[in-house]
PDB file of all heavy atoms in Angstrom:
ATOM      1  N   ARG A 368      74.067  83.106  89.461  1.00 97.00           N
ATOM      2  CA  ARG A 368      72.757  83.149  88.849  1.00 97.00           C
ATOM      3  C   ARG A 368      72.792  82.832  87.421  1.00 97.00           C
ATOM      4  O   ARG A 368      72.007  82.115  86.848  1.00 97.00           O
ATOM      5  CB  ARG A 368      72.069  84.508  89.081  1.00 97.00           C
ATOM      6  CG  ARG A 368      70.634  84.572  88.647  1.00 97.00           C
ATOM      7  CD  ARG A 368      70.458  85.290  87.334  1.00 97.00           C
ATOM      8  NE  ARG A 368      71.041  86.628  87.412  1.00 97.00           N
ATOM      9  CZ  ARG A 368      71.327  87.411  86.312  1.00 97.00           C
ATOM     10  NH1 ARG A 368      71.085  86.897  85.131  1.00 97.00           N
ATOM     11  NH2 ARG A 368      71.809  88.609  86.485  1.00 97.00           N
ATOM     12  N   ARG A 369      73.800  83.364  86.669  1.00 97.00           N
ATOM     13  CA  ARG A 369      73.970  83.040  85.284  1.00 97.00           C
ATOM     14  C   ARG A 369      74.294  81.538  85.047  1.00 97.00           C
ATOM     15  O   ARG A 369      73.868  80.960  84.062  1.00 97.00           O
ATOM     16  CB  ARG A 369      75.122  83.940  84.673  1.00 97.00           C
ATOM     17  CG  ARG A 369      74.594  85.349  84.538  1.00 97.00           C
ATOM     18  CD  ARG A 369      75.713  86.259  84.040  1.00 97.00           C
ATOM     19  NE  ARG A 369      75.160  87.579  83.672  1.00 97.00           N
ATOM     20  CZ  ARG A 369      75.871  88.684  83.654  1.00 97.00           C
ATOM     21  NH1 ARG A 369      77.176  88.688  83.962  1.00 97.00           N
ATOM     22  NH2 ARG A 369      75.242  89.802  83.292  1.00 97.00           N
ATOM     23  N   ILE A 370      75.042  80.984  85.988  1.00 98.00           N
ATOM     24  CA  ILE A 370      75.302  79.550  85.861  1.00 98.00           C
ATOM     25  C   ILE A 370      74.048  78.696  86.119  1.00 98.00           C
ATOM     26  O   ILE A 370      73.752  77.748  85.400  1.00 98.00           O
ATOM     27  CB  ILE A 370      76.387  79.141  86.839  1.00 98.00           C
ATOM     28  CG1 ILE A 370      77.764  79.669  86.366  1.00 98.00           C
ATOM     29  CG2 ILE A 370      76.536  77.622  87.006  1.00 98.00           C
ATOM     30  CD1 ILE A 370      78.911  79.484  87.297  1.00 98.00           C
ATOM     31  N   ARG A 371      73.224  79.122  87.098  1.00 97.00           N
ATOM     32  CA  ARG A 371      71.983  78.384  87.358  1.00 97.00           C
ATOM     33  C   ARG A 371      71.096  78.461  86.113  1.00 97.00           C
ATOM     34  O   ARG A 371      70.488  77.484  85.667  1.00 97.00           O
ATOM     35  CB  ARG A 371      71.232  79.016  88.538  1.00 97.00           C
ATOM     36  CG  ARG A 371      71.912  78.831  89.910  1.00 97.00           C
ATOM     37  CD  ARG A 371      70.993  79.170  91.041  1.00 97.00           C
ATOM     38  NE  ARG A 371      70.569  80.466  91.085  1.00 97.00           N
ATOM     39  CZ  ARG A 371      71.222  81.485  91.673  1.00 97.00           C
ATOM     40  NH1 ARG A 371      72.394  81.251  92.299  1.00 97.00           N
ATOM     41  NH2 ARG A 371      70.731  82.702  91.689  1.00 97.00           N
ATOM     42  N   CYS A 372      71.046  79.627  85.414  1.00 97.00           N
ATOM     43  CA  CYS A 372      70.264  79.790  84.264  1.00 97.00           C
ATOM     44  C   CYS A 372      70.815  79.049  83.036  1.00 97.00           C
ATOM     45  O   CYS A 372      70.044  78.675  82.117  1.00 97.00           O
ATOM     46  CB  CYS A 372      70.046  81.302  83.906  1.00 97.00           C
ATOM     47  SG  CYS A 372      69.014  82.142  85.124  1.00 97.00           S
ATOM     48  N   ARG A 373      72.095  78.898  83.019  1.00 96.00           N
ATOM     49  CA  ARG A 373      72.708  78.050  81.916  1.00 96.00           C
ATOM     50  C   ARG A 373      72.234  76.630  82.009  1.00 96.00           C
ATOM     51  O   ARG A 373      72.079  75.939  81.006  1.00 96.00           O
ATOM     52  CB  ARG A 373      74.200  78.182  81.936  1.00 96.00           C
ATOM     53  CG  ARG A 373      74.917  77.579  80.782  1.00 96.00           C
ATOM     54  CD  ARG A 373      76.330  77.921  80.718  1.00 96.00           C
ATOM     55  NE  ARG A 373      77.064  77.265  79.641  1.00 96.00           N
ATOM     56  CZ  ARG A 373      77.142  77.729  78.404  1.00 96.00           C
ATOM     57  NH1 ARG A 373      76.469  78.821  78.085  1.00 96.00           N
ATOM     58  NH2 ARG A 373      77.770  77.063  77.510  1.00 96.00           N
ATOM     59  N   PHE A 374      72.061  76.117  83.242  1.00 96.00           N
ATOM     60  CA  PHE A 374      71.602  74.745  83.389  1.00 96.00           C
ATOM     61  C   PHE A 374      70.094  74.677  83.225  1.00 96.00           C
ATOM     62  O   PHE A 374      69.604  73.601  82.792  1.00 96.00           O
ATOM     63  CB  PHE A 374      72.000  74.244  84.815  1.00 96.00           C
ATOM     64  CG  PHE A 374      73.421  73.712  84.902  1.00 96.00           C
ATOM     65  CD1 PHE A 374      74.448  74.551  85.230  1.00 96.00           C
ATOM     66  CD2 PHE A 374      73.690  72.424  84.632  1.00 96.00           C
ATOM     67  CE1 PHE A 374      75.813  74.112  85.293  1.00 96.00           C
ATOM     68  CE2 PHE A 374      75.030  71.940  84.716  1.00 96.00           C
ATOM     69  CZ  PHE A 374      76.022  72.777  85.029  1.00 96.00           C
ATOM     70  N   ASP A 375      69.357  75.650  83.553  1.00 94.00           N
ATOM     71  CA  ASP A 375      67.879  75.675  83.463  1.00 94.00           C
ATOM     72  C   ASP A 375      67.377  77.069  83.209  1.00 94.00           C
ATOM     73  O   ASP A 375      67.172  77.881  84.113  1.00 94.00           O
ATOM     74  CB  ASP A 375      67.295  75.145  84.828  1.00 94.00           C
ATOM     75  CG  ASP A 375      65.804  75.100  84.758  1.00 94.00           C
ATOM     76  OD1 ASP A 375      65.209  75.319  83.682  1.00 94.00           O
ATOM     77  OD2 ASP A 375      65.183  74.827  85.839  1.00 94.00           O
ATOM     78  N   ASN A 376      67.202  77.370  81.888  1.00 94.00           N
ATOM     79  CA  ASN A 376      66.746  78.713  81.546  1.00 94.00           C
ATOM     80  C   ASN A 376      65.295  78.975  81.724  1.00 94.00           C
ATOM     81  O   ASN A 376      64.752  80.061  81.389  1.00 94.00           O
ATOM     82  CB  ASN A 376      67.175  79.035  80.067  1.00 94.00           C
ATOM     83  CG  ASN A 376      66.541  78.065  79.090  1.00 94.00           C
ATOM     84  OD1 ASN A 376      65.576  77.322  79.398  1.00 94.00           O
ATOM     85  ND2 ASN A 376      67.041  78.107  77.822  1.00 94.00           N
ATOM     86  N   GLN A 377      64.569  77.978  82.265  1.00 92.00           N
ATOM     87  CA  GLN A 377      63.181  78.171  82.599  1.00 92.00           C
ATOM     88  C   GLN A 377      62.921  78.761  83.961  1.00 92.00           C
ATOM     89  O   GLN A 377      61.820  79.040  84.347  1.00 92.00           O
ATOM     90  CB  GLN A 377      62.421  76.892  82.416  1.00 92.00           C
ATOM     91  CG  GLN A 377      62.498  76.289  81.014  1.00 92.00           C
ATOM     92  CD  GLN A 377      61.966  77.223  79.939  1.00 92.00           C
ATOM     93  OE1 GLN A 377      60.866  77.723  80.060  1.00 92.00           O
ATOM     94  NE2 GLN A 377      62.756  77.482  78.929  1.00 92.00           N
ATOM     95  N   ARG A 378      63.956  78.857  84.696  1.00 92.00           N
ATOM     96  CA  ARG A 378      63.859  79.477  86.041  1.00 92.00           C
ATOM     97  C   ARG A 378      63.341  80.917  85.978  1.00 92.00           C
ATOM     98  O   ARG A 378      63.766  81.659  85.036  1.00 92.00           O
ATOM     99  CB  ARG A 378      65.200  79.447  86.770  1.00 92.00           C
ATOM    100  CG  ARG A 378      65.781  78.037  86.994  1.00 92.00           C
ATOM    101  CD  ARG A 378      67.169  78.092  87.611  1.00 92.00           C
ATOM    102  NE  ARG A 378      67.169  78.714  88.931  1.00 92.00           N
ATOM    103  CZ  ARG A 378      67.115  78.050  90.092  1.00 92.00           C
ATOM    104  NH1 ARG A 378      67.030  76.746  90.050  1.00 92.00           N
ATOM    105  NH2 ARG A 378      67.199  78.662  91.223  1.00 92.00           N
ATOM    106  N   GLY A 379      62.484  81.293  86.909  1.00 90.00           N
ATOM    107  CA  GLY A 379      61.949  82.661  86.859  1.00 90.00           C
ATOM    108  C   GLY A 379      63.030  83.736  86.998  1.00 90.00           C
ATOM    109  O   GLY A 379      62.856  84.839  86.364  1.00 90.00           O
ATOM    110  N   GLU A 380      64.087  83.447  87.671  1.00 94.00           N
ATOM    111  CA  GLU A 380      65.154  84.455  87.800  1.00 94.00           C
ATOM    112  C   GLU A 380      65.908  84.688  86.533  1.00 94.00           C
ATOM    113  O   GLU A 380      66.654  85.716  86.455  1.00 94.00           O
ATOM    114  CB  GLU A 380      66.123  83.955  88.954  1.00 94.00           C
ATOM    115  CG  GLU A 380      66.879  82.713  88.603  1.00 94.00           C
ATOM    116  CD  GLU A 380      67.854  82.275  89.653  1.00 94.00           C
ATOM    117  OE1 GLU A 380      68.187  83.114  90.499  1.00 94.00           O
ATOM    118  OE2 GLU A 380      68.306  81.157  89.650  1.00 94.00           O
ATOM    119  N   CYS A 381      65.706  83.836  85.548  1.00 95.00           N
ATOM    120  CA  CYS A 381      66.406  84.046  84.279  1.00 95.00           C
ATOM    121  C   CYS A 381      65.773  85.116  83.423  1.00 95.00           C
ATOM    122  O   CYS A 381      66.432  85.869  82.643  1.00 95.00           O
ATOM    123  CB  CYS A 381      66.483  82.764  83.485  1.00 95.00           C
ATOM    124  SG  CYS A 381      67.200  81.406  84.385  1.00 95.00           S
ATOM    125  N   THR A 382      64.472  85.317  83.592  1.00 92.00           N
ATOM    126  CA  THR A 382      63.747  86.399  82.875  1.00 92.00           C
ATOM    127  C   THR A 382      63.575  87.655  83.685  1.00 92.00           C
ATOM    128  O   THR A 382      63.368  88.746  83.183  1.00 92.00           O
ATOM    129  CB  THR A 382      62.425  85.862  82.363  1.00 92.00           C
ATOM    130  OG1 THR A 382      61.687  85.386  83.453  1.00 92.00           O
ATOM    131  CG2 THR A 382      62.610  84.865  81.273  1.00 92.00           C
ATOM    132  N   ASN A 383      63.629  87.467  85.059  1.00 91.00           N
ATOM    133  CA  ASN A 383      63.491  88.565  85.935  1.00 91.00           C
ATOM    134  C   ASN A 383      64.535  88.579  87.023  1.00 91.00           C
ATOM    135  O   ASN A 383      64.278  88.333  88.170  1.00 91.00           O
ATOM    136  CB  ASN A 383      62.065  88.549  86.615  1.00 91.00           C
ATOM    137  CG  ASN A 383      61.805  89.752  87.426  1.00 91.00           C
ATOM    138  OD1 ASN A 383      62.315  90.858  87.214  1.00 91.00           O
ATOM    139  ND2 ASN A 383      61.016  89.533  88.465  1.00 91.00           N
ATOM    140  N   PRO A 384      65.805  88.846  86.627  1.00 94.00           N
ATOM    141  CA  PRO A 384      66.933  88.628  87.551  1.00 94.00           C
ATOM    142  C   PRO A 384      66.959  89.726  88.572  1.00 94.00           C
ATOM    143  O   PRO A 384      66.702  90.911  88.317  1.00 94.00           O
ATOM    144  CB  PRO A 384      68.173  88.763  86.619  1.00 94.00           C
ATOM    145  CG  PRO A 384      67.710  89.573  85.455  1.00 94.00           C
ATOM    146  CD  PRO A 384      66.286  89.227  85.275  1.00 94.00           C
ATOM    147  N   VAL A 385      67.310  89.343  89.868  1.00 95.00           N
ATOM    148  CA  VAL A 385      67.511  90.272  90.925  1.00 95.00           C
ATOM    149  C   VAL A 385      68.832  90.082  91.546  1.00 95.00           C
ATOM    150  O   VAL A 385      69.208  90.800  92.448  1.00 95.00           O
ATOM    151  CB  VAL A 385      66.348  90.075  92.021  1.00 95.00           C
ATOM    152  CG1 VAL A 385      65.021  90.491  91.483  1.00 95.00           C
ATOM    153  CG2 VAL A 385      66.368  88.660  92.496  1.00 95.00           C
TER     154      VAL A 385
END
Side-chain angles (χ1 to χ4, degrees):
R368 187 256 303 165
R369 287 176 170 155
I370 289 175
R371 293 194 298 272
C372 291
R373 187 169 176 84
F374 277 89
D375 180 8
N376 61 12
Q377 299 303 308
R378 297 172 64 93
E380 64 179 344
C381 304
T382 55
N383 184 28
V385 292

